């Protein structure tokens, strides 16, 4: 005993049993977790397992179909369209929303009203998908008087290419005009010193140009061709005389008149507010033409919910909702960026674009990854917006996997294929979730 003590080190004390910080025993913790585990199993694990099993059975659920339901994922036209649209969604929706969020976060960092702007941009997140879908169904309405998108688009278009004021104007009975290439031309040639009558009908009084005044018969001019283009219609039975300018009838203000010889325009004029016009002596022996531009239909904008634009239009509504989410997360990450690094770059001669591209964006890369991955998972499950915004005539063109799952499972009564789509969606989401988990673990280690 003495020699052991003298010749060697003292024995180590017995290891103490590590206790929980809160003093909770493992069994007590398990009891508290049990309700959550039961709910998790009942609401998540069991449905997933049942869907996997159901995906291998036929429509009745009694016959084993093998992988036939999975083969249908790549042979059914509706599912292939949905898969193609999901790819478009995954590529563009998260990218655009994240980019806008980054731009908003950076630009509003230095302005005094940045907080108010962020609040406005983030506000759509408080609106449900159902409400957003209804809002954008109205925004994309084809009628410019109802749809905001087409109202703006038509306004911009008409600024550079004004619409005609006489889209429905046409010759009446016993008219000297005859149709030609969308417009109208006189049956006979005209002579200098002649006053030509060009009567038209078909324009409602409230649709006449604002500057239109009461029409008058043009005075003759020996060396020129004159005439009148007017609305040859007076309200009331037997009031007006056909082919003659009557009191109260309005001139076609702004209409273009051309003199044509051998297929070439030798002179042209614009009708005055009172309907009169004057052509030079070059019009002698020509036929007068009212070109088709006078009668083109007004521009009604784009068919936002048509087959070709419905998917980009719905993606636009999604970006409107989720750009605020991206902006808030990126702004939080930007607040943690060391300012001395940005100032050092500026001192070294970098301009603001170089600071943004080479310093700010690399430092925000982890936050940008979180936002992009979160939105990718979200768009893989998108259903509400497509179901509500896309009209019945374009819903097949806007189809996505979640919507096709609903249609196969409930509208077409094909639960086997619907289960296969659900499993396929799960398989698409799992890699993205694993990437997110691994990234979070790396952040914790740091």
């Amino acid at each position: 005993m003495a020699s052991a003590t003298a010749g060697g080190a003292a024995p180590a004390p017995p290891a103490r049993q590590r206790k929980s910080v809160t003093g909770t025993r493992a069994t007590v913790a398990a009891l508290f977790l049990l309700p959550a585990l039961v709910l998790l199993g009942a609401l998540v694990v069991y449905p997933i397992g049942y869907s996997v099993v159901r995906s291998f059975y036929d429509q009745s659920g009694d016959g084993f179909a093998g992988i036939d339901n999975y083969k249908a994922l790549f042979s059914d036209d509706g599912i292939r369209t949905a898969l193609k649209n999901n790819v478009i969604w995954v590529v563009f929706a998260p990218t655009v929303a994240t980019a806008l969020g980054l731009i908003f976060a950076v630009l509003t960092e230095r302005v005094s009203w940045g907080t108010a702007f962020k609040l406005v941009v983030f506000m759509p997140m408080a609106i449900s998908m159902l409400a957003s879908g209804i809002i954008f169904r109205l925004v994309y309405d084809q009628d410019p008087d109802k749809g905001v998108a087409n109202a703006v688009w038509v306004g911009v278009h008409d600024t550079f290419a004004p619409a005609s004021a006489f889209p429905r104007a046409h010759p009446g009975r016993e008219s000297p005009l005859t149709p030609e290439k969308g417009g109208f031309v006189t049956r006979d040639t005209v002579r200098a010193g002649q006053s030509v009558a060009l009567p038209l009908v078909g324009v409602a009084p409230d649709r006449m140009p604002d500057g239109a005044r009461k029409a008058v018969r043009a005075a003759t001019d020996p060396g020129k061709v004159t005439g009148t283009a007017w609305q040859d219609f007076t309200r009331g039975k037997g009031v007006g005389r056909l082919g003659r300018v009557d009191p109260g009838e309005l001139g076609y203000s702004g209409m273009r008149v051309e003199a044509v010889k051998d297929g070439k325009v030798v002179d042209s004029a614009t009708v005055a507010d009172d309907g009169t016009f004057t052509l030079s002596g070059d019009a002698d022996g020509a036929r007068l033409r009212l070109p088709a531009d006078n009668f083109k239909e007004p521009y009604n904008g784009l068919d936002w919910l048509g087959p070709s634009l419905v998917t980009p239009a719905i993606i636009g509504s999604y970006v409107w909702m989720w750009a605020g989410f991206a902006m808030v997360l990126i702004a939080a990450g930007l607040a943690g960026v060391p300012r001395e690094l940005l100032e050092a770059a500026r001192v070294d001669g970098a301009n603001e674009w170089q600071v943004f591209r080479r310093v700010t964006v690399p430092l925000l890369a982890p936050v940008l990854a979180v936002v992009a991955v979160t939105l990718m998972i979200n768009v893989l499950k998108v259903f509400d917006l497509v179901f509500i915004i896309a009209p019945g005539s374009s819903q097949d063109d806007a189809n996505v996997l979640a919507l096709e799952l609903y249609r196969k499972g409930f509208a077409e009564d094909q639960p086997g294929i619907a289960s296969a789509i659900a499993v396929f969606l799960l398989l698409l989401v799992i890699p993205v979730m694993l990437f997110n988990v691994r990234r979070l673990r790396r952040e914790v280690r740091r």
Side-chain angles (χ1 to χ4, degrees), residues 48-212:
I48 291 175
Y50 182 79
S51 296
V52 172
V53 173
R54 189 66 183 80
S55 67
F56 292 103
Y57 283 83
D58 59 13
Q59 181 174 344
S60 65
D62 299 326
F64 185 74
I67 61 172
D68 290 346
N69 292 327
Y70 290 94
K71 290 180 179 178
L73 299 182
F74 304 97
S75 59
D76 185 277
D77 290 337
I79 300 177
R80 285 192 297 181
T81 301
L83 184 59
K84 180 195 70 175
N85 287 335
N86 263 102
V87 172
I88 296 174
W89 272 88
V90 170
V91 171
F92 289 100
T95 303
V96 175
T98 304
L100 285 177
L102 176 61
I103 293 171
F104 291 156
V106 172
L107 293 181
T108 57
E109 186 187 22
R110 298 183 179 180
V111 295
S112 58
W113 44 267
T115 302
F117 179 82
K118 291 176 183 177
L119 178 63
V120 172
V121 175
F122 186 75
M123 195 175 297
M125 284 292 299
I127 304 175
S128 68
M129 285 280 195
L130 173 64
S132 297
I134 295 173
I135 290 171
F136 275 89
R137 182 66 180 268
L138 296 174
V139 167
Y140 291 131
D141 195 285
Q142 179 68 33
D143 187 353
D145 294 331
K146 298 178 182 178
V148 175
N150 263 343
V152 174
W153 190 264
V154 169
V156 173
H157 175 274
D158 288 350
T159 301
F160 299 98
S164 169
F166 321 104
R168 301 188 183 279
H170 61 274
R173 293 181 292 111
E174 302 177 12
S175 173
L177 295 167
T178 182
E180 182 189 74
K181 297 180 180 178
F184 305 98
V185 65
T186 56
R187 302 176 189 273
D188 303 317
T189 58
V190 297
R191 295 295 176 185
Q194 178 184 0
S195 180
V196 184
L198 301 179
L200 295 168
V201 295
V203 180
D206 59 342
R207 295 289 184 179
M208 293 293 287
D210 294 336

Side-chain angles (χ1 to χ4, degrees), residues 277-289:
F277 61 89
T278 302
L279 296 167
S280 67
D282 294 337
D284 183 58
R287 300 171 70 189
L288 300 189
R289 180 173 67 186

Side-chain angles (χ1 to χ4, degrees), residues 16-30 32-33:
R16 298 176 61 184
Q17 186 175 2
R18 192 171 182 178
K19 299 180 65 178
S20 169
V21 176
T22 60
T24 306
R25 295 181 181 180
T27 53
V28 177
F32 276 102
L33 289 175

Side-chain angles (χ1 to χ4, degrees), residues 394-406:
S394 301
Q395 199 168 87
D396 289 340
D397 300 282
N399 200 9
V400 290
L401 288 175
L403 177 59
E404 186 64 15
L405 187 156
Y406 168 81

Side-chain angles (χ1 to χ4, degrees), residues 34-45:
L34 185 60
L37 293 175
V38 171
L39 287 175
L40 185 66
L43 300 179
V44 178
V45 178

